[in-house]
Amino acid sequence: MELSTILRPECTTCATPGSKKKVLELISDIVAAQYPTLSSQAIFESLLAREKMGSTGIGNGIAIPHGRLPDIDHPIAVFVKCLEPIPFDSIDKQPVDILFALLVPADQCQQHLATLSAMAEKLSDKTILKQLRKSQDDAELYQVITQ
């Protein structure tokens, strides 16, 4: 799957959320702004429910929060670069500055896992990660992550 089919430029942002809760709220608000039929609160609760099962902070400053929503028929992604790293309970105990969030239809578990795996692999590329961290604005960030 091409990342550009699930990640809109409007869902890619550089921000300073300050905390794990705030970045999950930011992600929820971004999705709700782009998909008005979805509730920001329902999105937030889905992401938070997954985090309560265990942190999605995979190490090296990266987190991949994700959740399932019954009201969508295709995956929706959000990419956030935190201008200041935030505590995220990551497996390596390091703060997070790169987040790829994924929301999927409740019945698409296999596609969901494949997309998360592909993104984790992409973010493990040191060259891409360096370019993402050097990105100066939302447009550049989108270009780097979708290339």
Side-chain angles (χ1 to χ4, degrees), residues 13-28:
T13 190
C14 298
T16 310
S19 72
K20 183 177 186 174
K21 179 178 184 263
K22 293 277 188 210
V23 78
L24 296 178
E25 288 172 343
L26 172 66
I27 291 165
S28 302

Side-chain angles (χ1 to χ4, degrees), residues 118-135:
M119 182 49 58
E121 186 175 328
K122 184 170 195 157
L123 292 174
S124 70
D125 182 317
K126 288 180 172 46
T127 303
I128 292 174
L129 205 49
K130 187 180 283 190
Q131 289 176 324
L132 289 169
R133 288 186 167 130
K134 286 183 177 180
S135 296

